[in-house]
Amino acid sequence: MPEFPTNTKVRETARRNGRLSDGERFVPEETPIAFSYAGSTHAVMMATPADLEDFAIGFSLTEGIIMDPAEIETIDVEAEDKGIDLQIRLSDEQNDALVARRRHMAGPVGCGLCGIESIEQAVRVTPSVRTSRLTLSEDEVVEAVRLLNGQQPLHMATRAVHGAGFYVPGQGLIAVREDVGRHNALDKLVGAARRAGHAGHAGAVVVTSRVSVEMVQKTAIIGSPFIIAISAPTALAIRTAEDAGMTLIALVRGDEFEIFTGADRIGAGAQRRLGNG
């Protein structure tokens, strides 16, 4: 699979200590990336051109195009003049289902709400994770964010991208992905975790961004009962997490954090129990 630059060094003029001076810094690349199924473009996202196979799988999963990565037969990355085209070939059954879905689509839409045609679909029913028995201790919540902060090389270079990680108690962060878009970082993480054989119900999604409703929906789709964030949630995200039986933790700062839903899964000495919910 071809590799593309994820950041570029640019010249700048910075004000430091009351003086202007010329210098250089790294900034992230942002590239149009098309998701094409059976030769037809389904959506185009502005994203960091890295971890593209993870992106293709994660996007296909969280948008409901596939239920399992095995339903994708091939992924070809084609470099275009002004972007990248991910040519994704599905199994016959999944391709037929997507064709039928397209017949009812009104047209392309923006980031995080791809391939929908109505307000009802935008606030779609989120899968329940209420039966999951995974618990985390308070220290594990703090550890998850601390580990994520230390595993974001592109952010360290640019200070301009989001990170998403999958935290499994006893194992730490088993995958981390970065992107200029928070939804994209999460989709890449979903793809990476599923490719590695990690079940969503076994761990927590940890993100550096605010928690919007789409982030809660994507987390629930993979079956994780936890979303942990450095920033704050929206009101709709909180309501959606509550309805789905998800634990939403945000504003993690050092050893302090706020629990907005599902506080019963958190305890100083919580005994961990894994379920398939």
Side-chain angles (χ1 to χ4, degrees):
M1 183 170 291
E3 293 187 3
F4 302 92
T6 59
N7 60 78
T8 299
K9 184 183 288 187
V10 299
R11 296 195 59 79
E12 65 167 1
T13 300
R15 188 174 191 270
R16 299 283 188 271
N17 300 317
R19 296 180 54 195
L20 291 175
S21 60
D22 293 332
E24 296 179 327
R25 68 165 292 132
F26 287 97
V27 295
E29 288 288 348
E30 187 176 21
T31 305
I33 298 178
F35 295 84
S36 299
Y37 299 88
S40 179
T41 300
H42 179 81
V44 179
M45 311 294 279
M46 299 302 299
T48 303
D51 304 305
L52 297 176
E53 189 166 341
D54 291 337
F55 199 11
I57 294 171
F59 177 88
S60 299
L61 284 165
T62 62
E63 290 300 319
I65 294 169
I66 62 172
M67 298 297 292
D68 189 281
E71 293 166 353
I72 294 179
E73 294 186 351
T74 61
I75 300 171
D76 294 320
V77 178
E78 298 185 0
E80 306 287 347
D81 289 341
K82 296 183 179 181
I84 299 169
D85 191 359
L86 300 181
Q87 290 282 345
I88 304 164
R89 181 178 178 83
L90 304 176
S91 64
D92 290 342
E93 182 178 353
Q94 293 309 121
N95 188 68
D96 291 344
L98 181 58
V99 169
R101 171 178 168 178
R102 280 179 176 154
R103 293 194 185 106
H104 299 285
M105 287 170 57
V109 292
C111 176
L113 294 172
C114 299
I116 64 171
E117 62 176 348
S118 66
I119 292 175
E120 287 75 16
Q121 286 175 294
V123 289
R124 59 188 171 179
V125 175
T126 302
S128 175
V129 293
R130 194 173 303 278
T131 60
S132 174
R133 294 179 294 169
L134 179 66
T135 61
L136 294 179
S137 69
E138 296 171 21
D139 288 343
E140 287 170 332
V141 172
V142 172
E143 179 188 46
V145 173
R146 177 181 60 79
L147 291 174
L148 181 59
N149 286 336
Q151 296 187 36
Q152 299 175 72
L154 186 57
H155 179 70
M156 291 298 294
T158 67
R159 300 294 178 180
V161 298
H162 295 290
F166 191 68
Y167 177 83
V168 177
Q171 300 181 44
L173 284 177
I174 58 90
V176 175
R177 291 294 182 267
E178 298 179 275
D179 198 277
V180 292
R182 55 198 166 88
H183 305 102
N184 302 337
L186 183 49
D187 279 340
K188 289 179 177 181
L189 175 70
V190 169
R194 288 296 296 272
R195 289 177 68 196
H198 295 284
H201 66 78
V205 168
V206 191
V207 298
T208 60
S209 65
R210 65 182 173 89
V211 184
S212 61
V213 64
E214 303 99 325
M215 304 293 277
V216 171
Q217 290 170 336
K218 290 175 184 288
T219 299
I221 285 170
I222 65 169
S224 174
F226 280 92
I227 185 165
I228 303 171
I230 293 173
S231 192
T234 68
L236 181 56
I238 294 171
R239 292 193 294 269
T240 303
E242 182 71 44
D243 289 344
M246 182 182 297
T247 299
L248 192 164
I249 304 169
L251 297 164
V252 184
R253 300 288 190 273
D255 60 357
E256 298 181 348
F257 54 82
E258 298 179 24
I259 307 171
F260 291 86
T261 65
D264 56 317
R265 288 198 181 98
I266 302 296
Q271 181 178 358
R272 190 167 308 107
R273 304 178 303 278
L274 284 180
N276 293 323

